[in-house]
Amino acid sequence: MRVIVERDFPSVSRTAARFVARLVRERPTSVLGLATGSTPLGMYQELIRMHREEGLDFSRIVTFNLDEYVGLAPTHPQSYRRFMQQSLFDHINIDGRNTHVPDGRALDFEAHCEQYEKLIDEAGGIDLQVLGIGADGHIAFNEPGSSLGSRTRLKSLTAETLRDNARFFGSIEEVPRLAITMGVGTILESRQCLLLACGQAKARAIKETIEGPVTAQITASALQLHRDVIAVVDEEAAQLLERREYYREVERAQSLLEAGEISKLLPHKS
Ligand code: PGA
């Protein structure tokens, strides 16, 4: 896993947006997996800026969001569809028909989840999946104990997640108890993952995800099995990582390689 430690939320957001923008430019028909929550918000703002000021073109981009609350209409102020419209889609030139968020009001959930997986397949799979992480180490709504092979399905939210998300609703009683979420197995099939984390509340989850054992108790740790994951975290979220110095060294080498300065990485002549 590539680990990039940035100073703060704005620099995490800019770095993450650069990865997304590079892909969008290189392959304008890419399939992006998108996430909701407070962490990717700065990245979305930066992408909107790049669209407005640099002409970053989303017209042929296809997106699939990770999850949606069960029971909320797409127009509900706390629905993830509404969040995506307000935070990104309404401000860029994406074709609404190419944006997918699970339907929290589907009548037949099993069929809907199966159909969601099928749509991802038919689109050619996800090229880059953006991920936040819960304080309990969840990715999407794959709560601790979720099968690491799980597919898109209904999931009961834990008391911790309900508490974390109550801040967006009037009270904890109003937080939906169920969500439709891509599974860990679905996420692992994307070609590249971009994991974002900011703040002290994520430090333990990040430590366990990157340096702990792979376990269904920290579903993000399954990313260790993926061949191409980039974690972009701020100093606070990185504070418990033991191998920080090594991660920095890898990034220094990476920048030299990208700048064509491999000679600086070779042993000096004796
Ligand atoms: P956050 O949520 O970005 O709002 O912290 C992340 C998550 O719970 O997956």
Side-chain angles (χ1 to χ4, degrees), residues 35-41 66-67 80 131-136 138-141 161 164-165 167-168 196 198 202:
T36 49
S38 45
T39 314
L41 265 182
L66 288 168
D67 43 17
Y80 284 170
L131 297 164
I133 184 169
D136 61 1
H138 68 216
I139 40 173
F141 272 131
T161 299
D164 280 352
N165 291 358
R167 66 189 194 275
F168 302 114
L196 310 180
C198 291
K202 303 294 173 68

Side-chain angles (χ1 to χ4, degrees), residues 11 42 44 53 68 73 79 82 96 99 104 111 121 128 154 164 187 189 199 202 250 256:
S11 37
Y44 292 147
E53 295 175 14
E68 178 62 285
S79 80
R82 174 92 180 262
T99 68
D121 262 3
L128 173 68
L154 275 192
D164 280 352
I187 293 168
E189 275 172 19
K202 303 294 173 68
V250 172
L256 287 171

Side-chain angles (χ1 to χ4, degrees), residues 95-116:
D95 182 341
R97 290 166 302 183
N98 290 342
T99 68
H100 305 88
V101 181
D103 181 357
R105 302 243 295 210
L107 292 176
D108 180 342
F109 287 109
E110 210 170 307
H112 181 65
C113 293
E114 225 169 272
Q115 175 67 8
Y116 202 68

Side-chain angles (χ1 to χ4, degrees), residues 140-259:
F141 272 131
N142 293 291
E143 301 286 35
S146 294
S147 156
L148 300 185
S150 50
R151 313 301 310 186
T152 303
R153 68 210 184 291
L154 275 192
K155 193 76 200 163
S156 294
L157 307 186
T158 60
E160 186 175 9
T161 299
L162 295 177
R163 262 197 317 274
D164 280 352
N165 291 358
R167 66 189 194 275
F168 302 114
F169 291 80
S171 66
I172 195 160
E173 285 72 35
E174 288 171 60
V175 186
R177 288 179 145 53
L178 294 174
I180 297 175
T181 178
M182 275 189 210
V184 181
T186 320
I187 293 168
L188 289 180
E189 275 172 19
S190 51
R191 288 182 194 92
Q192 187 176 48
C193 295
L194 186 60
L195 174 69
L196 310 180
C198 291
Q200 201 173 344
K202 303 294 173 68
R204 168 77 24 213
I206 282 296
K207 158 80 181 152
E208 289 176 343
T209 294
I210 296 174
E211 295 179 342
V214 174
T215 165
Q217 296 309 313
I218 306 284
T219 52
S221 68
L223 294 172
Q224 292 179 31
L225 300 170
H226 193 285
R227 62 187 287 178
D228 193 355
V229 178
I230 306 171
V232 187
V233 304
D234 72 357
E235 294 279 0
E236 287 188 2
Q239 65 186 267
L240 298 177
L241 291 174
E242 280 164 32
R243 300 171 71 81
R244 279 178 66 174
E245 204 31 61
Y246 175 66
Y247 307 139
R248 279 192 205 288
E249 195 44 48
V250 172
E251 286 314 304
R252 275 195 285 271
Q254 178 77 22
S255 328
L256 287 171
L257 284 174
E258 280 176 15

Side-chain angles (χ1 to χ4, degrees), residues 39-59:
T39 314
L41 265 182
M43 182 191 80
Y44 292 147
Q45 278 162 15
E46 179 62 6
L47 289 172
I48 292 167
R49 188 198 64 73
M50 289 171 159
H51 167 66
R52 288 189 179 145
E53 295 175 14
E54 298 165 17
L56 188 63
D57 179 16
F58 292 89
S59 60

